[in-house]
Amino acid sequence: MKVVVIGAQWGDEGKGKIVDYLANEAQIIVRYAGGANAGHTIVIGGEQYALHLIPSGVFYSDKIVILGAGMVIDPVALFKEIAMLNERGIDTDGRVFISDRAHIVLPRYIQIDKDRDAARKKPIGTTGRGIGITYSMKSDRDGIRIADLSWKEKLDELDKGDRDFLEPYIEKLQAMSIDLSAYLMHRKNYQVLFEGAQGTLLDLDLGTYPYVSSGMSCAAGAAVGGCIGPRAIDKVLGVFKAYSTRVGNGPLPSEFDTDSEDELCRFVRDTGREYGVTTGRPRRCGYLDLVSLRYACLTNSIDSLVMTHLDVYDTLADIKACIAYRIGGKIVENFPASIEDLNNAEPVLRSFPGWKKSLANALTYEEFPVEAMEYIEFIERFCETPIDIVSVGYDRKATIIRKSPWTK
């Protein structure tokens, strides 16, 4: 069975924890998009780990993890991450592979990335990791892939600085290189988990362009970056937070008002630890945007949703969610492509009573307060998609499974 896990918002939804949790029943975990601009925080037994490139399933000693064809790999970041894991007792030897079709991030791309964004009249707010430049080079057919490291003619085309940078990494990268499509073909009966990066609303085509990432963070990207056909995917899970966040510039229609809701914003940001894993930047916060979440469900054929950070609302007397936008005096119920419309959108909010009780000790969904269940079940009806998993904390055990995604 092949299951895809994607972000259903603007990234940072808690995909890393969910992939780590679900990887227990998988044999292979493939990350199919993005690069070191992504960040996952995993908490296991009180120990916290930050990953940027390696799939979250690496913490299980019997799992194979693969960096897919749709990824862009910074060798410095990759081997630094591997060293960190090994130093902390996570043996990666013989378990981490890279698709030979994945592209490589060169150091000069990083500076180009920073300079280009700074020169924009309206900066996108990139992480400055060279990700967009590497994807641009890929589209221009001027990039270099893992497979090209054994192609002398191709290496000779590179600047001397690029060749000097790659030299100490070539053998190590080649030793990890695999033909991903063939690898999975010979393991067609394995349980495979495909891990996305960023979120649907940062996807190059489906997201809030141009304030997006450069890769395919939608579910369709799993087929391309994972080197499988789309009909091989059995299930798509969309991860979302009980509220909305965004890093960098771009529209966030349900964002808390900086004047009247500043205290609420600080509470959500601090309680939810809403600071970028990669950059440390504070995330912009807002009400759960159900308009965009329903859009994510539709455009990704999401079979079921995974709700995270619900426990952040434990102490609030009331909760609000955005159910429509008011744009130019009109009520808009669908997610528009126009950035101008999104920037001018005012959230139409619906209130829900809070539960004023900790969810941390709940072992089953039925143990949730009725108010928490009503909030969840309204979201299910609005998006016409079931919420099968609810996370109420950072640790693996703080995960409520209503229905296992490993069932067809």
Side-chain angles (χ1 to χ4, degrees):
M1 190 171 178
K2 294 178 174 63
V3 174
V4 177
V5 176
I6 66 163
Q9 295 168 308
W10 282 274
D12 309 308
E13 301 94 347
K15 296 181 297 298
K17 178 201 166 169
I18 300 305
V19 169
D20 170 72
Y21 186 91
L22 298 178
N24 183 45
E25 295 187 55
Q27 291 152 295
I28 300 171
I29 300 90
V30 180
R31 181 166 152 200
Y32 63 82
N37 58 332
H40 294 324
T41 300
I42 312 295
V43 180
I44 304 170
E47 284 281 314
Q48 183 169 303
Y49 302 84
L51 297 180
H52 301 276
L53 284 164
I54 297 175
S56 305
V58 73
F59 297 105
Y60 295 93
S61 61
D62 59 338
K63 312 300 180 186
I64 297 296
V65 297
I66 303 172
L67 285 68
M71 289 191 67
V72 290
I73 315 291
D74 179 344
V76 175
L78 174 62
F79 290 108
K80 181 179 179 182
E81 198 162 295
I82 288 173
M84 177 274 293
L85 290 169
N86 292 338
E87 287 168 5
R88 297 183 66 177
I90 309 298
D91 184 9
T92 62
D93 190 41
R95 296 198 299 117
V96 181
F97 298 101
I98 308 173
S99 167
D100 55 9
R101 297 177 184 273
H103 278 246
I104 298 171
V105 180
L106 296 173
R108 60 187 173 90
Y109 296 172
I110 296 172
Q111 191 58 50
I112 294 171
D113 191 4
K114 293 176 181 176
D115 292 344
R116 183 173 293 182
D117 201 45
R120 288 186 171 103
K121 291 182 178 179
K122 293 183 178 180
I124 293 170
T126 75
T127 59
R129 297 297 181 102
I131 306 304
I133 302 303
T134 310
Y135 278 117
S136 178
M137 291 290 189
K138 175 180 177 177
S139 297
D140 287 342
R141 290 154 290 182
D142 290 323
I144 182 163
R145 306 171 300 162
I146 300 295
D148 300 331
L149 294 175
S150 58
W151 184 9
K152 185 179 183 303
E153 184 180 349
K154 179 66 175 179
L155 292 177
D156 288 344
E157 292 175 2
L158 297 175
D159 296 340
K160 183 179 183 302
D162 292 340
R163 294 197 302 272
D164 290 345
F165 166 75
L166 288 170
E167 181 59 35
Y169 297 110
I170 289 177
E171 283 190 22
K172 292 193 286 186
L173 290 169
Q174 287 177 327
M176 299 166 69
S177 171
I178 61 169
D179 178 337
L180 181 53
S181 61
Y183 188 90
L184 293 179
M185 177 186 69
H186 292 299
R187 294 159 180 82
K188 61 179 63 177
N189 294 323
Y190 281 32
Q191 303 263 69
V192 184
L193 192 61
F194 291 88
E195 175 183 2
Q198 286 84 42
T200 293
L201 302 176
L202 294 176
D203 182 82
L204 187 60
D205 293 297
L206 300 178
T208 53
Y209 186 90
Y211 300 99
V212 293
S213 187
S214 299
M216 294 181 71
S217 49
C218 59
V224 180
C227 295
I228 58 171
R231 288 192 294 176
I233 296 171
D234 294 293
K235 192 167 287 188
V236 177
L237 273 63
V239 185
F240 76 102
K241 278 189 286 211
Y243 47 89
S244 298
T245 64
R246 179 167 193 158
V247 173
N249 300 327
L252 183 62
S254 63
E255 187 167 12
F256 296 136
D257 186 277
T258 53
D259 295 324
S260 61
E261 296 164 329
D262 187 55
E263 185 177 341
L264 177 60
C265 182
R266 286 199 307 272
F267 169 80
V268 169
R269 182 181 289 147
D270 292 341
T271 308
R273 304 183 198 176
E274 296 300 347
Y275 297 88
V277 177
T278 301
T279 63
R281 288 183 291 184
R283 295 174 186 142
R284 298 157 59 195
C285 300
Y287 299 108
L288 174 61
D289 186 340
L290 290 175
V291 179
S292 65
L293 183 60
R294 181 170 57 191
Y295 168 77
C297 291
L298 292 170
T299 53
N300 291 280
S301 297
I302 290 176
D303 294 290
S304 68
L305 289 163
V306 179
M307 186 181 204
T308 66
H309 291 240
L310 183 60
D311 53 302
V312 169
Y313 280 159
D314 280 354
T315 62
L316 298 186
D318 68 278
I319 296 160
K320 292 177 179 151
C322 171
I323 58 170
Y325 305 140
R326 186 174 286 104
I327 304 173
K330 296 181 180 179
I331 298 297
V332 176
E333 297 181 339
N334 297 318
F335 191 72
S338 167
I339 296 300
E340 185 177 20
D341 283 349
L342 288 170
N343 282 336
N344 292 327
E346 298 174 18
V348 177
L349 301 174
R350 171 167 174 155
S351 295
F352 301 85
W355 41 94
K356 303 283 286 182
K357 180 181 178 181
S358 174
L359 301 178
N361 297 321
L363 299 177
T364 66
Y365 179 71
E366 288 68 29
E367 294 178 52
F368 279 7
V370 65
E371 294 86 356
M373 290 193 284
E374 287 174 351
Y375 183 55
I376 290 169
E377 289 161 17
F378 177 85
I379 296 167
E380 291 181 311
R381 292 193 300 273
F382 191 95
C383 295
E384 299 182 8
T385 308
I387 297 174
D388 287 344
I389 301 175
V390 183
S391 171
V392 292
Y394 292 94
D395 207 274
R396 279 178 182 164
K397 64 183 180 182
T399 311
I400 307 298
I401 305 293
R402 300 176 69 192
K403 180 180 178 182
S404 170
W406 296 111
T407 57
K408 290 190 177 180

